[in-house]
Amino acid sequence: MNEREPVLSVRNLSKTYMQGKIPVHALTDVSFDVKKGEFISIVGPSGSGKSTLLSMMGLLDKPTSGSVFIDGMEVTKAKEGDAPKIRREKIGFVFQRFNLIPTLTALENVDIAMRFARVSKHKRKERSVELLTQMGLEGRMKHKPSELSGGEQQRVAIARAMSNHPAIILADEPTGEVDTKTRDMIVALLKELCEKGQTILVVTHDMDVAEKTSRRITMRDGKIASDTQQ
Amino acid sequence: MFDLILKNIAHRKLRSGLTVFGIALGIFAVIVMGSMSENFNMTFDKSISLTADKIRVLPEGGFVGGGLTESKVREVKRVAGVSDAYGLLQASLDPENLGFGGGNVVIGIPPEKTQITLKDTKLTGGRYLVTGDGYRAVVGSSVAREFKLKVGDDLEIKSKKVQRASSITHTRNFTVVGIMEYTGSFFDSGVIVPLDRAQKFYELGDGVTMILAVPEPNTDPEDLSKRIELNVEKVKTFSPEQLRKQIEQALIIFSLVTISAAVLAAIIGGLSVTNTMLMSVSERTKEFGLMKALGAETKDILFMTVGEAALMGVIGGIIGIAGGAALVYFMNNNFAIILFVITPRLLAIAMSFATLLGVVSGTYPAYRAAKMSPMEALRYE
């Protein structure tokens, strides 16, 4: 793919919820592009529409109007049945609460994402070990999430998000549940992944996190208030 | 995916255990009731095949009316198409203590007709009755086991006669001269004695309970059966076909009772699986949402949830069958009469029933899990 072509394009995206009988405009006409290898943060107060935007980009929710393109494909037009395929091939999720499966070990939690992608058992194992080693968790692979610290859990989640070589990693408040030391470690890790060419979009309300990204989009009242390279 | 299913079942040990136990209990009931029904079916089948070539002649008013005597036997014998006819006397071995299924039965047979009645039933010891035998008896396998009889032992037979308000009980010892092999028919609980001695002992004169008529070769038993009814007064006949129909009707009722018990067990077992799976699914709402976000297809989620329920069904089925078989084995070996038979057919039914139970009751929870939107599921606390 051409370096200059965007990995992610958001075009005139709008979302209106009905809260009872009152329409709530969560997103209004949002457009922006994300290039390959960019480390971008979306910030804004709660209710500004940043989480809604993330859901649309991750095919977790349908927009009222507008489109999202990933790798040039208009994913908002994809059929319901194609959504799982797009999710596992194009997108890697990292959540605030880590969302690891409590019954599975660190290794199995990474492995499961590739299972859904029908990767062979041997390749899954190889990739899981490789990723967890990269995250500095080589000694913790057989541990369950309850036996891991918050930072370790989030690193497992990042390894899981990376497993299927996604076009973009969407991280929703990835540092919301950890202390500042762990936060810095996670941000540094994400930054390192970006330098290796991984595109990462972080939604956060933590300005310290946003400052470390190469580009910052600020949302207010469902619209983009500013978009700055830093 | 299968290892994930196993992990989930193993993770919730108590709950999975209770559910599996619920199904096991249901299947246990199916096996016990089913094997009882199978035993009845088999006994009647074997009994019918032993007597299928003969027409039964009974007094018109049923057993209560009485009135069959040796002269009636001769009348039946004279009907065209009847090659042979003989009287049988049936009475309870112990009238004061009737067991399940009617208990053991004393059958008085003219000694020379034993072979034609029992056909090729073999003896495990001793000999058949011969003409001129006195108070001698050939006993069925169940009777021999119940009373621990060997050839040469004495067996006490009781008769009860009601006179006005009181009843008089006579007892008499019959010497066992032969023990029959296991036939799976009602002869297993039979005590075969010479007809004349039975008539004397029960003070019935020359009365008999039933006449068996053997049709001549190439005679249609159905026609002959009607002919006997027309030619001999005050008798009712049962051709082999009629008898079969009558018994089948009784068996249908018995089977219905068994099936109802099994269905009840199924409903209870099924509800427990549904309940467990609903709990398990709502507990894992977030997990399923996450799996969807990771790119799981609806069919992956369905496979995992239905698979979990089906596996619990299979495990419950195996435990239930093992438990039922153990009980049946114990009962058959420790009680006088064989009441249960586990057939391959029954095993197949029980096993597929258990699996189906799991699948059917897992389907709704699985559907709920699969249709959940990943966004809602992830927000769910």
Side-chain angles (χ1 to χ4, degrees), chain B residues 108-350:
Chain B
I109 298 180
E112 66 277 13
K113 307 293 184 195
T114 326
Q115 216 71 52
I116 197 170
T117 312
L118 293 170
K119 295 198 179 157
D120 51 2
T121 303
K122 288 183 182 64
L123 296 179
T124 54
R127 59 168 176 83
Y128 272 120
L129 295 175
V130 292
T131 315
D133 263 338
Y135 290 99
R136 301 277 185 270
V138 171
V139 297
S141 56
S142 294
V143 178
R145 203 165 69 170
E146 185 176 350
F147 297 98
K148 300 187 172 63
L149 291 174
K150 291 187 297 291
V151 174
D153 287 352
D154 279 348
L155 173 66
E156 186 180 77
I157 296 179
K158 285 181 187 167
S159 88
K160 197 173 176 183
K161 223 180 163 97
V162 183
Q163 273 180 349
R164 296 200 185 95
S166 62
S167 68
I168 298 163
T169 305
H170 290 290
T171 60
R172 166 136 211 143
N173 282 344
F174 282 66
T175 308
V176 176
V177 294
I179 295 168
M180 285 185 276
E181 64 174 357
Y182 173 73
T183 60
S185 74
F186 62 77
F187 285 118
D188 289 337
S189 44
V191 176
I192 295 164
V193 297
L195 179 64
D196 55 344
R197 300 292 155 160
Q199 284 166 336
K200 204 166 174 184
F201 175 61
Y202 288 106
E203 298 171 31
L204 285 173
D206 65 349
V208 292
T209 323
M210 175 200 306
I211 299 166
L212 289 182
V214 185
E216 275 174 358
N218 306 323
T219 308
D220 180 27
E222 301 304 310
D223 288 346
L224 184 59
S225 166
K226 282 182 200 122
R227 211 148 58 230
I228 294 171
E229 233 170 75
L230 285 172
N231 286 308
V232 183
E233 278 189 344
K234 290 184 180 169
V235 296
K236 171 122 192 64
T237 59
F238 285 96
S239 69
E241 196 49 41
Q242 279 172 305
L243 191 69
R244 181 172 286 276
K245 273 188 192 146
Q246 207 185 30
I247 288 172
E248 266 166 9
Q249 258 173 5
L251 281 181
I252 283 170
I253 292 168
F254 188 76
S255 296
L256 270 179
V257 174
T258 338
I259 289 165
S260 321
V263 165
L264 198 69
I267 292 170
I268 295 166
L271 285 178
S272 101
V273 180
T274 310
N275 193 30
T276 309
M277 288 310 295
L278 278 175
M279 265 173 84
S280 168
V281 162
S282 70
E283 218 170 56
R284 284 187 285 159
T285 302
K286 231 178 156 160
E287 208 172 299
F288 291 127
L290 173 74
M291 285 181 185
K292 280 198 153 185
L294 292 179
E297 306 265 354
T298 300
K299 63 171 194 278
D300 293 326
I301 310 263
L302 278 177
F303 180 81
M304 275 189 275
T305 35
V306 175
E308 190 177 324
L311 188 64
M312 284 200 278
V314 170
I315 298 172
I318 291 170
I319 296 173
I321 287 175
L327 180 79
V328 162
Y329 182 80
F330 174 80
M331 297 278 270
N332 278 345
N333 280 286
N334 289 278
F335 288 85
I337 39 169
I338 288 186
L339 270 182
F340 309 92
V341 171
I342 295 180
T343 55
R345 179 175 75 167
L346 181 65
L347 286 181
I349 290 173

Side-chain angles (χ1 to χ4, degrees), chain A residues 51-114:
Chain A
S51 287
T52 308
L53 178 59
L54 188 90
S55 311
M56 304 294 153
M57 293 187 290
L59 276 85
L60 297 178
D61 206 351
K62 286 237 172 242
T64 311
S65 66
S67 4
V68 174
F69 297 83
I70 297 176
D71 275 350
M73 180 195 193
E74 190 173 358
V75 297
T76 36
K77 271 203 180 151
K79 283 189 230 92
E80 188 74 33
D82 294 333
K85 190 170 153 57
I86 296 165
R87 277 190 214 122
R88 62 180 180 247
E89 285 178 1
K90 304 284 185 195
I91 304 161
F93 282 101
V94 177
F95 301 95
Q96 178 175 5
R97 291 176 201 275
F98 326 128
N99 283 351
L100 299 178
I101 296 171
T103 47
L104 305 180
T105 64
L107 193 71
E108 289 163 338
N109 262 292
V110 180
D111 179 272
I112 193 166
M114 289 181 277

Side-chain angles (χ1 to χ4, degrees), chain A residues 18-59:
Chain A
M18 292 303 288
Q19 204 164 55
K21 282 180 180 169
I22 309 148
V24 178
H25 302 286
L27 276 185
T28 316
D29 200 25
V30 172
S31 299
F32 65 94
D33 286 339
V34 179
K35 291 196 188 69
K36 185 170 162 52
E38 254 189 313
F39 188 19
I40 179 169
S41 58
I42 296 181
V43 293
S46 25
S48 61
K50 54 187 196 304
S51 287
T52 308
L53 178 59
L54 188 90
S55 311
M56 304 294 153
M57 293 187 290
L59 276 85

